Amino acid sequence: LLRSGLGDLFDFGLGLRGGLLELTLGQRADGFVGLHGVREHFLRGADGNSALVNERRLTGSFIIAPDHLVEDWHVRDVRAMTPADLDALLALQPALVVLGTGAQQQFPPAAVMAACLQRGIGLEAMTNAAAARTYSVLAGEGRRVVAGFVFAG
Protein backbone atom coordinates (compact mmCIF):
# COMPACT_ATOMS: atom_id res chain seq x y z
CA LEU A 1 0.00 0.00 0.00
CA LEU A 2 1.11 3.53 -0.78
CA ARG A 3 0.00 6.35 1.52
CA SER A 4 -0.78 9.71 -0.11
CA GLY A 5 -0.03 13.04 1.53
CA LEU A 6 -3.70 13.27 2.50
CA GLY A 7 -3.65 9.98 4.37
CA ASP A 8 -5.79 8.10 1.84
CA LEU A 9 -4.76 4.54 1.01
CA PHE A 10 -4.20 3.39 -2.54
CA ASP A 11 -3.73 -0.02 -4.08
CA PHE A 12 -1.07 0.14 -6.73
CA GLY A 13 0.51 -2.02 -9.38
CA LEU A 14 3.61 -1.75 -11.51
CA GLY A 15 4.34 -3.82 -14.59
CA LEU A 16 5.14 -3.90 -18.29
CA ARG A 17 2.57 -3.98 -21.06
CA GLY A 18 3.58 -3.82 -24.69
CA GLY A 19 7.06 -2.68 -23.73
CA LEU A 20 5.70 0.28 -21.73
CA LEU A 21 5.93 0.71 -17.99
CA GLU A 22 2.47 0.68 -16.44
CA LEU A 23 1.63 2.16 -13.05
CA THR A 24 -1.92 1.99 -11.76
CA LEU A 25 -3.34 3.51 -8.62
CA GLY A 26 -6.76 2.97 -7.08
CA GLN A 27 -9.33 5.75 -7.26
CA ARG A 28 -9.88 8.11 -4.32
CA ALA A 29 -13.32 9.34 -3.34
CA ASP A 30 -12.55 12.84 -4.69
CA GLY A 31 -12.12 11.50 -8.24
CA PHE A 32 -8.32 11.57 -8.39
CA VAL A 33 -7.27 8.36 -10.12
CA GLY A 34 -3.50 8.52 -10.16
CA LEU A 35 -1.98 7.59 -13.50
CA HIS A 36 -4.25 6.33 -16.29
CA GLY A 37 -2.56 2.97 -16.68
CA VAL A 38 -0.39 3.16 -19.77
CA ARG A 39 0.16 6.69 -20.98
CA GLU A 40 0.61 6.13 -24.68
CA HIS A 41 0.28 9.69 -26.00
CA PHE A 42 2.45 12.57 -24.84
CA LEU A 43 1.59 16.08 -25.97
CA ARG A 44 4.91 17.85 -26.33
CA GLY A 45 3.54 21.26 -27.36
CA ALA A 46 1.13 23.12 -29.62
CA ASP A 47 0.62 26.48 -31.26
CA GLY A 48 -1.89 27.94 -33.70
CA ASN A 49 -0.60 25.83 -36.60
CA SER A 50 0.29 22.39 -35.25
CA ALA A 51 0.89 20.16 -32.26
CA LEU A 52 3.56 17.60 -31.46
CA VAL A 53 2.21 14.31 -30.06
CA ASN A 54 4.95 11.83 -29.25
CA GLU A 55 7.19 12.46 -32.27
CA ARG A 56 4.39 13.24 -34.78
CA ARG A 57 3.41 16.73 -35.92
CA LEU A 58 -0.39 17.09 -36.23
CA THR A 59 -1.88 19.95 -38.26
CA GLY A 60 -5.57 18.99 -38.10
CA SER A 61 -7.97 19.21 -35.18
CA PHE A 62 -7.62 16.29 -32.74
CA ILE A 63 -8.59 14.93 -29.34
CA ILE A 64 -6.07 13.57 -26.85
CA ALA A 65 -6.25 11.68 -23.58
CA PRO A 66 -3.34 9.84 -21.94
CA ASP A 67 -4.45 6.57 -23.56
CA HIS A 68 -6.39 7.83 -26.61
CA LEU A 69 -5.66 9.90 -29.69
CA VAL A 70 -8.47 10.80 -32.08
CA GLU A 71 -7.11 12.42 -35.21
CA ASP A 72 -9.21 14.31 -37.73
CA TRP A 73 -11.71 15.70 -35.21
CA HIS A 74 -14.16 17.48 -37.49
CA VAL A 75 -14.27 20.80 -35.56
CA ARG A 76 -12.59 23.67 -37.44
CA ASP A 77 -14.19 26.74 -35.76
CA VAL A 78 -14.71 26.94 -31.98
CA ARG A 79 -17.39 29.62 -32.36
CA ALA A 80 -19.46 27.28 -34.59
CA MET A 81 -19.33 24.27 -32.25
CA THR A 82 -22.50 22.46 -31.21
CA PRO A 83 -23.03 20.19 -28.17
CA ALA A 84 -22.80 17.17 -30.50
CA ASP A 85 -19.18 18.16 -31.29
CA LEU A 86 -18.35 17.18 -27.70
CA ASP A 87 -19.52 13.57 -28.09
CA ALA A 88 -16.08 12.16 -28.91
CA LEU A 89 -14.52 14.04 -25.97
CA LEU A 90 -17.23 13.07 -23.49
CA ALA A 91 -17.07 9.42 -24.55
CA LEU A 92 -13.65 9.31 -22.86
CA GLN A 93 -15.33 10.16 -19.52
CA PRO A 94 -13.26 13.18 -18.46
CA ALA A 95 -13.64 15.21 -15.29
CA LEU A 96 -12.30 18.19 -17.26
CA VAL A 97 -12.19 19.11 -20.95
CA VAL A 98 -9.39 21.44 -22.05
CA LEU A 99 -10.26 23.11 -25.35
CA GLY A 100 -7.39 24.51 -27.41
CA THR A 101 -8.92 27.21 -29.57
CA GLY A 102 -6.04 28.03 -31.91
CA ALA A 103 -3.56 30.91 -31.79
CA GLN A 104 -6.11 33.17 -30.08
CA GLN A 105 -8.39 32.37 -27.18
CA GLN A 106 -12.00 31.97 -28.29
CA PHE A 107 -15.04 30.63 -26.55
CA PRO A 108 -17.55 28.07 -27.82
CA PRO A 109 -21.27 28.94 -27.80
CA ALA A 110 -23.04 28.87 -24.44
CA ALA A 111 -24.88 25.65 -25.41
CA VAL A 112 -21.53 23.85 -25.67
CA MET A 113 -20.40 25.08 -22.26
CA ALA A 114 -23.79 24.12 -20.80
CA ALA A 115 -23.55 20.58 -22.24
CA CYS A 116 -20.44 19.99 -20.12
CA LEU A 117 -21.72 21.75 -17.02
CA GLN A 118 -24.96 19.76 -17.06
CA ARG A 119 -22.85 16.60 -16.81
CA GLY A 120 -20.68 18.02 -14.03
CA ILE A 121 -17.68 18.26 -16.37
CA GLY A 122 -15.56 21.38 -16.49
CA LEU A 123 -14.64 22.96 -19.83
CA GLU A 124 -11.74 25.40 -20.09
CA ALA A 125 -11.08 27.23 -23.37
CA MET A 126 -7.63 28.70 -24.02
CA THR A 127 -5.03 29.11 -26.75
CA ASN A 128 -3.49 25.92 -28.10
CA ALA A 129 -0.16 26.70 -26.43
CA ALA A 130 -1.79 27.23 -23.02
CA ALA A 131 -4.03 24.18 -23.52
CA ALA A 132 -0.99 22.00 -24.28
CA ARG A 133 0.75 23.12 -21.08
CA THR A 134 -2.41 22.71 -18.98
CA TYR A 135 -3.27 19.29 -20.42
CA SER A 136 0.28 18.00 -19.95
CA VAL A 137 0.39 19.04 -16.28
CA LEU A 138 -3.03 17.56 -15.51
CA ALA A 139 -2.37 14.33 -17.41
CA GLY A 140 0.98 14.03 -15.66
CA GLU A 141 -0.84 14.28 -12.33
CA GLY A 142 -3.13 11.46 -13.41
CA ARG A 143 -6.24 13.61 -13.69
CA ARG A 144 -9.15 12.48 -15.88
CA VAL A 145 -8.50 15.13 -18.50
CA VAL A 146 -9.25 15.14 -22.22
CA ALA A 147 -8.18 17.90 -24.59
CA GLY A 148 -9.55 18.94 -27.95
CA PHE A 149 -7.33 21.05 -30.18
CA VAL A 150 -8.86 23.07 -32.99
CA PHE A 151 -6.96 23.95 -36.16
CA ALA A 152 -8.72 25.87 -38.93
CA GLY A 153 -6.81 24.02 -41.68
Side-chain angles (χ1 to χ4, degrees):
L1 291 176
L2 176 69
R3 184 172 296 278
S4 76
L6 298 176
D8 298 322
L9 295 177
F10 293 89
D11 291 326
F12 73 97
L14 184 64
L16 290 175
R17 184 172 80 172
L20 297 173
L21 183 63
E22 178 177 327
L23 172 66
T24 56
L25 297 174
Q27 185 169 359
R28 276 191 338 213
D30 66 1
F32 182 83
V33 293
L35 297 176
H36 283 110
V38 174
R39 187 166 173 203
E40 299 174 25
H41 304 289
F42 291 87
L43 179 60
R44 309 229 182 259
D47 59 23
N49 299 311
S50 67
L52 186 61
V53 176
N54 295 344
E55 301 303 320
R56 293 185 48 222
R57 180 132 336 253
L58 303 178
T59 57
S61 298
F62 68 96
I63 297 167
I64 188 169
D67 55 354
H68 287 86
L69 179 63
V70 179
E71 296 184 52
D72 298 322
W73 187 33
H74 65 274
V75 175
R76 299 292 181 261
D77 182 354
V78 170
R79 294 165 296 175
M81 285 180 72
T82 66
D85 293 327
L86 296 173
D87 289 349
L89 292 139
L90 298 178
L92 299 173
Q93 300 179 327
L96 175 67
V97 171
V98 175
L99 184 62
T101 63
Q104 301 294 318
Q105 183 180 28
Q106 302 176 44
F107 294 94
V112 172
M113 303 286 283
C116 281
L117 294 176
Q118 289 169 349
R119 292 172 173 87
I121 299 170
L123 186 144
E124 296 291 335
M126 56 193 77
T127 67
N128 281 352
R133 291 188 301 270
T134 301
Y135 167 82
S136 293
V137 167
L138 295 173
E141 292 175 350
R143 304 296 175 127
R144 290 186 354 238
V145 62
V146 173
F149 286 83
V150 178
F151 294 100

